[in-house]
């Protein structure tokens, strides 16, 4: 097993040339012979560095519009030849094949092309063939060959060239080979998923390049890892690292706040909103959101869809909380918010979120589309003699947004664009309703004139009767029960309105 290998010959074929110049100049300083193709070859020549065209090595031109350039025994033989095998060395000599000790590849931007909305033919042309083959060959022969499969690793290579006089260690080559196989497998997964979109019998394949080891999982005895790029999603201004449970709550908070356009603040605990309000000014939204359930708000996750100013920050700072998320903060606000070092303060950056959800279950994985719809007043079909007022319709819309993001069985009370109380996660919808009534009374809310939303239909008329007796004047539910008429009849008897949306928002 070889240990240290000096780089004598290098093959470079990259799409993006960013940050490549320092490496080329280091290779020149070390006297490394460079082979290259096409635009990369032109780039190297423009730096005043000698380069040998791959066509001169293979005696074959680039053909088929550049589709075939490096696919040749004189290229792959030089990469795959085992330095310690006498037979391999004899064949290299026989066919005049140079040993290639370093391969640098940056693949065609397939994923970027798909995301750009390019046509099918353009996407297909960005499926790299030669580059991916070079990566696999060099990574397979990592005992003797150094592979750089991404521009993200240029800095590491530059440091090796500068500090180790162009020699790589076995551990470095093995580490770079692992990165290379990660690059190639991710690339192949992206291509497969492009073709797999409309398959009637789809295959589950996911590849996420970045990860972050968490302090622990849901509990201290469980290991936890986040796969994804949190740095793209958030800019952390203060506080400790996000925990597993923080991330679960933050995900729920982001999904909820995205339903609202007017200035809104939500407080979440264990993924459920314990306070949310929409107002003309963010400070008022905070005060009214907190009033919903100040006990549950303790230690929660707070999210806003508007800039946090100093007045709002001063009020928020009176509460112990784990995480605060907003699109922006004034400098004065941060003075208040960063007083305690463990508070996690995040700026949410504009990042496109996935449209699919999946999780492990039993001996496999389940996947579904995200629940990306919420029914507004135009989709609320009146079912009762009494019609909801315009004000009630607005409150029902607000309540429907909240109920969509609350664990089932769920009942939500709302009034004046404010969450009054909710009953969540009960095995009986009647229990959820009674829980919501108790909480509303505990914090001094008058339910007269409030509206109620349910995430699923009422199998019996008891919920309607109890809600009406508590003061609820308008109810939203999806409908669909064989006993819908019983609930409608009860609403009519109680003189309240009921609308049906036809869409269930069950959330297990």
């Amino acid at each position: 097993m070889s240990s240290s290998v000096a780089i004598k010959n290098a093959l470079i074929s990259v799409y993006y040339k960013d940050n490549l110049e320092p490496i080329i100049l280091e290779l020149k300083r070390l006297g490394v012979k460079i082979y290259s193709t096409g635009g990369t070859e032109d780039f190297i020549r423009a730096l005043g560095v000698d380069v040998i065209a791959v066509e001169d090595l293979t005696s074959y031109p680039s053909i088929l519009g550049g589709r075939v350039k490096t696919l040749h025994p004189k290229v792959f033989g030089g990469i795959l030849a085992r330095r310690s095998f006498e037979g391999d060395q004899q064949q290299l000599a026989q066919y005049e094949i140079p040993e290639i000790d370093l391969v640098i590849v940056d693949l065609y931007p397939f994923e970027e092309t798909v995301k750009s909305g390019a046509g099918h033919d353009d996407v297909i042309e960005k499926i790299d063939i030669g580059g991916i083959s070079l990566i696999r060959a060099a990574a397979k022969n990592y005992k003797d060959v150094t592979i750089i499969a991404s521009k993200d690793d240029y800095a590491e290579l530059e440091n090796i060239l500068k500090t180790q006089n162009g020699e790589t260690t076995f551990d470095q080559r093995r580490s770079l080979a692992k990165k290379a196989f990660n690059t190639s497998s991710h690339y192949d997964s992206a291509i497969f998923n492009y073709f797999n979109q409309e398959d009637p019998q789809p295959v589950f394949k996911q590849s996420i390049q970045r990860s972050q080891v968490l302090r622990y999982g849901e509990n201290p005895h469980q290991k936890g890892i986040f796969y994804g790029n949190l740095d793209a999603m958030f800019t952390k201004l203060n506080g400790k690292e996000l925990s597993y449970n923080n991330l679960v709550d933050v995900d729920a908070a982001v999904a909820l706040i995205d339903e609202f356009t007017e200035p809104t603040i939500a407080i979440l605990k264990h993924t459920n909103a314990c306070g949310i309000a929409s107002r003309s000014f963010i400070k008022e939204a905070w005060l009214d959101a907190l009033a919903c359930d100040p006990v549950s708000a303790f230690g929660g996750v707070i999210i806003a869809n508007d800039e946090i100013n100093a007045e709002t920050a001063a009020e928020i700072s009176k509460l112990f909380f784990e995480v605060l998320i907003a699109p922006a903060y004034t400098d004065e606000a941060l003075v208040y918010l960063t007083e305690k070092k463990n508070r996690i303060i995040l700026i949410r950056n504009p990042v496109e979120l996935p449209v699919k959800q999946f999780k492990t279950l039993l001996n496999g994985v389940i996947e579904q589309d995200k629940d990306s719809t919420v029914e507004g007043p135009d989709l609320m079909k009146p079912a009762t003699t009494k019609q909801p007022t315009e004000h009630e319709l607005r409150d029902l819309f607000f309540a429907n947004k909240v109920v969509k993001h609350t664990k089932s069985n769920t009942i939500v009370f709302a009034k004046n664009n404010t969450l009054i109380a909710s009953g969540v996660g009960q095995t009986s919808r009647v229990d959820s309703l009674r829980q919501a009534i108790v909480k509303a009374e505990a914090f001094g809310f008058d339910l007269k004139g409030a509206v109620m939303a349910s995430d699923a239909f009422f199998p019996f008329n008891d919920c309607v009767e109890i809600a009406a007796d508590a003061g609820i004047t308008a109810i939203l539910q999806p409908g669909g029960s064989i006993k819908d008429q019983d609930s409608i009849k009860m609403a009519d008897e109680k003189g309240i309105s009921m609308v049906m949306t036809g869409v269930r928002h069950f959330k297990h």
Side-chain angles (χ1 to χ4, degrees):
M1 181 181 295
S2 61
S3 178
S4 183
V5 173
I7 297 172
K8 305 179 294 296
N9 300 305
L11 173 64
I12 306 176
S13 180
V14 300
Y15 187 85
Y16 291 115
K17 316 300 187 294
D18 312 45
N19 303 317
L20 185 61
E21 180 177 349
I23 291 173
I24 301 299
L25 297 179
E26 279 300 311
L27 293 174
K28 176 184 179 182
R29 179 184 69 81
L30 294 166
V32 174
K33 189 177 292 185
I34 300 175
Y35 298 87
S36 190
T37 62
T40 308
E41 179 188 342
D42 295 338
F43 176 83
I44 296 170
R45 290 192 195 283
L47 295 176
V49 177
D50 292 336
V51 58
I52 300 171
V54 166
E55 290 92 332
D56 294 338
L57 171 64
T58 64
S59 299
Y60 270 86
S62 171
I63 62 172
L64 307 181
R67 281 189 164 197
V68 180
K69 292 180 285 191
T70 57
L71 296 169
H72 193 279
K74 278 203 169 183
V75 174
F76 283 86
I79 295 170
L80 287 165
R82 293 156 291 190
R83 280 35 170 184
S84 59
F85 278 44
E86 184 177 345
D88 286 7
Q89 294 302 305
Q90 289 175 349
Q91 288 189 316
L92 289 183
Q94 178 182 356
Y95 297 110
E96 299 181 339
I97 300 173
E99 292 180 344
I100 296 176
D101 315 295
L102 169 65
V103 175
I104 304 176
V105 175
D106 181 49
L107 297 168
Y108 289 166
F110 178 82
E111 287 182 278
E112 293 91 329
T113 305
V114 172
K115 288 179 181 178
S116 73
H120 180 73
D121 289 346
D122 290 333
V123 169
I124 296 304
E125 284 306 309
K126 287 298 185 289
I127 297 177
D128 205 313
I129 303 301
I132 206 78
S133 301
L134 291 170
I135 288 172
R136 292 179 66 86
K140 176 177 180 176
N141 203 25
Y142 71 88
K143 290 181 181 179
D144 300 307
V145 179
T146 301
I147 173 64
I148 300 295
S150 167
K151 59 181 182 293
D152 293 338
D153 297 323
Y154 286 178
E156 181 178 353
L157 175 62
E158 184 182 352
N159 182 63
I160 289 172
L161 296 175
K162 287 180 175 179
T163 62
Q164 297 174 202
N165 204 34
E167 293 188 356
T168 59
T169 68
F170 175 83
D171 288 342
Q172 286 171 335
R173 294 192 302 278
R174 190 179 188 282
S175 174
L176 289 167
K178 175 185 173 183
K179 291 182 179 182
F181 283 125
N182 181 31
T183 296
S184 64
S185 63
H186 178 82
Y187 196 79
D188 285 341
S189 292
I191 295 169
F192 173 79
N193 284 330
Y194 174 76
F195 286 96
N196 191 44
Q197 295 176 76
E198 303 300 329
D199 196 314
Q201 291 185 318
V203 174
F204 183 82
K205 239 181 238 301
Q206 288 289 330
S207 176
I208 300 175
Q209 294 284 65
R210 298 185 61 165
S211 65
Q212 178 177 323
V213 177
L214 305 173
R215 296 195 299 274
Y216 50 81
E218 203 163 11
N219 298 289
H221 63 278
Q222 296 169 270
K223 292 182 180 179
I225 301 174
F226 173 78
Y227 293 98
N229 186 358
L230 282 178
D231 291 338
M233 185 82 197
F234 302 109
T235 301
K236 185 159 74 78
L237 302 179
N238 190 72
K240 57 190 177 183
E241 294 302 317
L242 287 162
S243 69
Y244 182 100
N245 291 332
N246 287 154
L247 288 169
V248 173
D249 283 332
V250 166
D251 175 69
V254 167
L256 174 59
I257 204 70
D258 282 352
E259 302 286 359
F260 300 88
T261 54
E262 59 273 47
T264 302
I265 286 188
I267 311 166
L268 286 89
K269 198 72 171 290
H270 302 167
T271 74
N272 293 308
C274 57
I276 180 168
S278 297
R279 294 291 182 269
S280 298
F281 300 99
I282 203 70
K283 179 184 174 183
E284 284 68 29
W286 163 252
L287 293 173
D288 290 338
L290 179 62
C292 175
D293 186 348
V295 175
S296 295
F298 183 86
V301 168
I302 304 166
I303 190 164
N305 64 359
D306 202 358
E307 182 181 65
I308 301 295
N309 55 34
E311 287 186 343
T312 309
E315 293 294 332
I316 292 175
S317 292
K318 295 175 182 178
L319 177 75
F320 169 74
F321 63 88
E322 287 277 348
V323 184
L324 173 61
I325 309 161
Y329 305 85
T330 65
D331 291 340
E332 294 81 5
L334 290 175
V335 173
Y336 290 102
L337 296 172
T338 58
E339 286 177 344
K340 297 182 179 179
K341 65 178 182 179
N342 284 334
R343 285 176 176 167
I344 302 171
I345 310 299
L346 303 175
I347 294 176
R348 181 182 172 188
N349 302 319
V351 172
E352 184 178 353
L353 298 175
V355 296
K356 298 281 188 180
Q357 296 173 312
F358 61 88
K359 63 180 178 180
T360 58
L361 187 148
L362 299 176
N363 63 342
V365 172
I366 54 174
E367 181 185 74
Q368 67 172 355
D369 298 333
K370 276 190 175 179
D371 187 354
S372 59
T373 183
V374 66
E375 305 72 49
D378 293 343
L379 298 176
M380 297 176 188
K381 183 179 179 181
T384 50
T385 302
K386 185 176 182 180
Q387 304 286 299
T389 66
E390 289 297 320
H391 184 82
E392 287 172 334
L393 284 172
R394 286 195 295 272
D395 277 346
L396 287 171
F397 187 30
F398 179 93
N400 200 24
K401 293 177 183 179
V402 178
V403 87
K404 171 184 169 183
H405 295 278
T406 310
K407 290 292 179 67
S408 301
N409 287 314
T410 302
I411 292 292
V412 164
F413 295 153
K415 193 176 187 180
N416 299 326
N417 280 341
T418 307
L419 175 64
I420 300 300
S422 61
V424 305
Q426 299 301 306
T427 53
S428 161
R429 194 161 302 279
V430 174
D431 287 344
S432 291
L433 173 57
R434 292 190 189 281
Q435 182 190 64
I437 293 172
V438 168
K439 295 198 79 169
E441 291 174 348
F443 294 109
F445 289 106
D446 183 2
L447 290 179
K448 289 183 175 62
V451 304
M452 179 177 92
S454 173
D455 63 335
F457 63 64
F458 301 119
F460 305 102
N461 64 10
D462 47 4
C463 281
V464 178
E465 182 177 14
I466 295 168
D469 289 345
I472 297 298
T473 58
I475 295 175
L476 176 146
Q477 60 141 322
S481 169
I482 60 174
K483 294 186 177 182
D484 275 348
Q485 285 304 316
D486 291 352
S487 294
I488 295 170
K489 182 180 178 182
M490 178 58 70
D492 282 334
E493 289 178 5
K494 294 292 184 178
I496 66 173
S497 62
M498 178 186 292
V499 299
M500 295 185 182
T501 63
V503 178
R504 187 184 75 179
H505 292 295
F506 223 45
K507 187 176 178 62
H508 276 271

